[in-house]
Amino acid sequence: MPIYSLNNQDARQLFLDRHLLLRPVAGSGKGADLTGVLTDLGFVQVDSVNTLARSHDLILWSRRNQYRHRALELAIARDRTGFEHWTHDAAVIPMQFYPMWRLKFQRDEAHMRRRWPAWRREGWNAEVDTVLRHINDNGATCSLDVGPEEKRTSGGWWDWHPSKTALEFLWRSGQLAICHRQGFRKFYDLSERVIPSDHFAQRLDDALVIDWAMMAAMNRLGFATSGELTAFFDIVTVEEAKAWCARARQDGRIVEVDVQLADGSFRRSYSTPELLDQVAALPAPSNRVRLLSPFDPALRDRGRAERLFGFRYRIEIFVPAPKRQYGYYVFPVMQGNRLIGRVDAKRQGDTLMVTAFWPEAGIALGKARSAALHTEFERLLPFAKLSEIQYAADWLRG
């Protein structure tokens, strides 16, 4: 079979289009439109840091500027069009994917039984049974509601009290589901009382789930190695992914493609003929500046982003302040199909405070780009419920 080739610009175009960042698309950011965005992305990562907006909200806002955080709350707690579970990290996932997650529940449970220190503690099984019985009898429960009072303080396993660890185990293994949140606190109930019956009752063969997970990841990445496909949903094992790629290539469902990286080198990957056929018709990116979440799906795989865009990004939350290169929680900034820098922006009262912007090498912040960046900050104000923008005196760095 021939080996296809993608130059770096076309690879960026395809990748960003798959992540809904190439072309402007109008939409309400709620209801069916929000479900469509979730489905197209595959998931959005949940994160608690809220210096400006929570990660999952910013991810969705970056695709739909009409989106507001209440829409995702309703999708999970009322409409049941999304559920919270685990990919590479905690995430909101389209509800129609729930039957495929049963394989992940099984594998996560087996992993926890092998690796969690709780299993070696006396009374662990009784703790799990007690928590499950409490929820069965009393309904939706948070970690503050279960376990004897003296066990609810920190200092337990992983600095969690045992009943919190039991809740996590029951959730990760699929016996419980998150039914809603209050603030950022999770409330759990029995899965059969949360997940719509048609999704909850569906059972799929492992082989079908593996095939779905691999092809679904491919359609969202545009091109990928077997390892990148494995990591996307984190359902399939490395060995299963390699075997799937070999079969799919032999069957003509996927093809080999050499993808040009930002440094001019090439990386052998896979794609599909259908995806590659779309490249020539992709529109040029708009000149809009976008502020992205540090956990945006387009940047989740830091190595891939660095190879494709030449943009090295690391979270510095856990780096001691004197050793930080940039800041506690800085946001990547994209313009067109380039990552042009990173910005330290946060809320101070009702003000969006722009503390610093570090342009990437070779990026000049002329009048047009400065205006486009300011316009993006103005778009943020109603979303973040802020009223004005203020720039630090020395905000432009580099």
Side-chain angles (χ1 to χ4, degrees):
M1 294 183 189
I3 297 175
Y4 294 79
S5 180
L6 272 180
N7 66 46
N8 185 247
Q9 289 299 309
D10 285 346
R12 292 186 191 193
Q13 299 282 93
L14 177 58
F15 180 67
L16 292 176
D17 193 55
R18 296 283 88 195
H19 284 76
L20 309 182
L21 289 172
L22 183 65
R23 55 186 108 194
V25 180
S28 66
K30 59 184 178 182
D33 181 62
L34 177 59
T35 300
V37 174
L38 273 174
T39 302
D40 286 344
L41 293 176
F43 61 87
V44 293
Q45 182 173 337
V46 175
D47 190 74
S48 62
V49 178
N50 193 15
T51 59
L52 177 58
R54 297 198 194 279
S55 176
H56 41 287
D57 291 323
L58 188 56
I59 289 167
L60 295 168
W61 177 83
S62 296
R63 277 82 177 168
R64 295 290 192 273
N65 283 172
Q66 297 303 309
Y67 168 82
R68 298 295 182 266
H69 79 277
R70 179 67 174 154
L72 189 61
E73 291 180 355
L74 293 175
I76 296 167
R78 185 191 69 187
D79 302 334
R80 304 300 193 204
T81 52
F83 70 99
E84 291 194 46
H85 208 263
W86 211 260
T87 55
H88 66 292
D89 210 322
V92 177
I93 303 158
M95 186 61 78
Q96 65 265 34
F97 295 177
Y98 186 85
M100 284 69 99
W101 247 251
R102 288 192 176 279
L103 179 58
K104 187 165 181 61
F105 299 155
Q106 296 167 14
R107 291 180 169 182
D108 279 3
E109 179 173 352
H111 175 80
M112 289 184 292
R113 288 183 183 276
R114 288 194 309 268
R115 302 293 297 274
W116 277 25
W119 290 103
R120 297 187 289 275
R121 303 297 179 104
E122 185 179 351
W124 163 249
N125 288 318
E127 190 75 46
V128 171
D129 291 342
T130 298
V131 169
L132 196 57
R133 186 165 53 252
H134 174 91
I135 294 173
N136 181 70
D137 295 344
N138 297 283
T141 296
C142 72
S143 61
L144 296 180
D145 297 330
V146 293
E149 186 68 35
E150 65 271 13
K151 293 185 179 180
R152 296 183 194 174
T153 58
S154 62
W157 309 320
W158 297 346
D159 205 31
W160 289 355
H161 61 68
S163 51
K164 178 173 173 59
T165 310
L167 276 174
E168 183 78 5
F169 168 79
L170 290 165
W171 172 58
R172 291 285 296 271
S173 62
Q175 298 176 70
L176 299 181
I178 294 171
C179 54
H180 66 277
R181 288 178 181 260
Q182 288 183 7
F184 205 65
R185 185 176 298 282
K186 295 179 286 191
F187 281 75
Y188 305 82
D189 204 344
L190 301 180
S191 293
E192 57 264 36
R193 298 200 292 227
V194 176
I195 306 302
S197 58
D198 53 340
H199 297 301
F200 186 77
Q202 191 174 1
R203 300 293 190 275
L204 301 173
D205 291 339
D206 289 359
L208 187 61
V209 174
I210 291 167
D211 184 71
W212 171 86
M214 293 294 285
M215 190 56 76
M218 180 71 80
N219 284 329
R220 285 158 180 81
L221 291 170
F223 52 87
T225 64
S226 64
E228 289 167 341
L229 294 172
T230 301
F232 189 81
F233 289 123
D234 196 27
I235 295 175
V236 180
T237 69
V238 172
E239 294 75 16
E240 289 167 343
K242 289 179 179 178
W244 182 90
C245 287
R247 290 193 304 272
R249 181 171 174 266
Q250 187 173 22
D251 295 342
R253 297 175 65 196
I254 64 173
V255 294
E256 289 186 298
V257 55
D258 283 336
V259 178
Q260 187 180 36
L261 308 180
D263 64 4
S265 64
F266 285 84
R267 180 177 173 85
R268 181 68 53 85
S269 299
Y270 298 105
S271 189
T272 70
E274 294 78 13
L275 286 166
L276 295 176
D277 284 345
Q278 296 175 19
V279 172
L282 291 175
S286 72
N287 207 38
R288 173 182 167 175
V289 167
R290 296 178 186 267
L291 185 144
L292 300 180
S293 162
F295 300 106
D296 193 280
L299 301 170
R300 177 191 70 80
D301 185 336
R302 306 288 191 219
R304 180 182 173 99
E306 188 170 348
R307 289 189 295 270
L308 192 60
F309 297 99
F311 183 78
R312 179 177 173 81
Y313 182 84
R314 299 293 185 271
I315 291 282
E316 296 185 287
I317 290 174
F318 301 111
V319 176
K323 296 185 178 180
R324 289 177 189 146
Q325 183 177 2
Y326 298 106
Y328 174 80
Y329 195 82
V330 301
F331 299 91
V333 179
M334 174 174 282
Q335 184 175 33
N337 64 6
R338 302 174 68 185
L339 285 154
I340 63 169
R342 61 206 83 204
V343 65
D344 189 352
K346 62 195 70 176
R347 61 172 67 246
Q348 281 189 2
D350 63 352
T351 298
L352 173 61
M353 187 68 193
V354 181
T355 304
F357 175 75
W358 296 268
E360 287 290 278
I363 296 294
L365 199 64
K367 289 184 178 180
R369 186 167 279 142
S370 294
L373 182 60
H374 181 74
T375 298
E376 180 74 346
F377 293 146
E378 289 183 322
R379 290 189 193 99
L380 272 166
L381 294 179
F383 164 68
K385 298 181 179 179
L386 301 173
S387 61
E388 64 177 352
I389 306 165
Q390 184 174 336
Y391 296 86
D394 59 346
W395 73 279
L396 182 57
R397 308 291 176 86

